[in-house]
Amino acid sequence: MATLYIVATPIGNLEDITFRSVSILKNVDLILCEDTRTTKKLLTTYAIPTHTASYNSRSTEGKRELIFSLLEEGKDIALVSDAGTPCISDPGVLIVSQVRARFGDTVKIVPIPGASALVTALSGSGIPASEFVFLGFLPHKKGRETLFSEIATASRTVVFYESPHRIEKTLASLVIHLSLDRTVVIARELTKVFEEFVSGDAVTVAEYFKKNKIKVKGEFVVIVSAKNMK
Ligand code: SAM
């Protein structure tokens, strides 16, 4: 029976990969990447000689059929995204749902756990995370304001991903919607050289980034404490 492995990769520090992941990446017949150029650095570091191919939302039906035919032949495939755990706010979910729909139980789908920005941020934030709501990336327009109103009344910790282009706009919205008893944590550049946690009420955190424009770059996870739970 063919196996599709869903392999988590580092979110910055290339040492954050498990022995099992490296071993699987070495032994599969093909690695499907969100972007083959991004994954190449990891594969070179660990001397992984496996063939790669890209697979994302722009991939053609022909490409999908090619992947299906490899699985039909009993070949093992690994799926990786640019960083972290595939399918968490990235296009990996596409192929997993298609393989499940096409093959049912005749292809084994095996997730290999590892880094994810969401969990890494929560674990270093000091914000209670026994229960949380993950919003992925916030919509740019439609539904955005409604979401901020929901975050303002959330009874659970809220986590979402944000880009450097929108972080200041998002912080400005949090200033408008959140009372000062809510803690906002920005986890930036996790596992990388300039890793940073900025924590405080929305006004304090927004001011910090206004004053330190040099910090408005890289990758961001935003965490907001639950209402009535600082
Ligand atoms: N699948 C990935 C995961 O498991 O974390 C997430 C993919 S999503 C397309 C990319 C977003 O994750 C970034 O825009 C950022 O919000 C967050 N992210 C990824 N790496 C990060 C890092 N090193 N530090 C902070 N946030 C990060």
Side-chain angles (χ1 to χ4, degrees), residues 23-227:
S23 160
I24 283 166
L25 292 177
K26 279 186 175 162
N27 286 301
V28 291
D29 298 290
L30 177 72
I31 301 173
L32 286 181
C33 310
E34 185 176 349
D35 183 332
T36 51
R37 289 162 302 183
T38 308
T39 302
K40 194 168 176 226
K41 203 169 158 205
L42 177 76
L43 301 185
T44 307
T45 303
Y46 290 97
I48 297 168
T50 316
H51 288 301
T52 58
S54 64
Y55 195 78
N56 52 46
S57 50
R58 294 180 304 281
S59 295
T60 60
E61 211 173 297
K63 185 84 156 274
R64 191 184 64 199
E65 288 308 314
L66 192 72
I67 294 163
F68 285 173
S69 61
L70 288 173
L71 291 169
E72 265 155 18
E73 285 168 28
K75 306 272 193 226
D76 292 333
I77 296 179
L79 171 72
V80 300
S81 52
D82 282 352
T85 301
C87 308
I88 310 300
S89 291
D90 64 40
V93 68
L94 198 65
I95 192 74
V96 180
S97 62
Q98 288 169 347
V99 168
R100 276 208 188 282
R102 169 79 164 246
F103 293 99
D105 290 342
T106 60
V107 166
K108 220 168 156 196
I109 296 181
V110 179
I112 310 299
S116 180
L118 152 72
V119 174
T120 309
L122 276 172
S123 68
S125 70
I127 303 278
S130 303
E131 287 183 36
F132 64 87
V133 178
F134 175 55
L135 300 177
F137 288 99
L138 301 187
H140 291 182
K141 289 200 175 89
K142 198 159 177 270
R144 190 175 163 87
E145 280 309 304
T146 313
L147 266 183
F148 281 116
S149 305
E150 285 173 14
I151 293 170
T153 55
S155 57
R156 294 182 172 86
T157 295
V158 176
V159 192
F160 55 93
Y161 288 158
E162 194 48 281
S163 75
H165 315 292
R166 308 188 73 82
I167 189 73
E168 286 187 288
K169 193 170 173 230
T170 292
L171 285 170
S173 296
L174 291 177
V175 167
I176 292 168
H177 285 87
L178 295 184
S179 50
L180 292 178
D181 60 345
R182 305 287 290 282
T183 302
V184 174
V185 176
I186 304 294
R188 187 175 84 87
E189 293 291 83
L190 291 164
T191 78
K192 303 185 201 176
V193 178
F194 296 108
E195 177 179 275
E196 179 178 31
F197 282 84
V198 182
S199 173
D201 59 61
V203 174
T204 307
V205 174
E207 277 299 312
Y208 176 86
F209 283 99
K210 226 180 255 173
K211 281 193 188 129
N212 296 279
K213 291 285 181 203
I214 187 115
K215 310 278 181 104
V216 187
K217 62 180 177 193
E219 299 191 279
F220 297 83
V221 181
V222 183
I223 302 172
V224 180
S225 68
K227 200 170 162 61

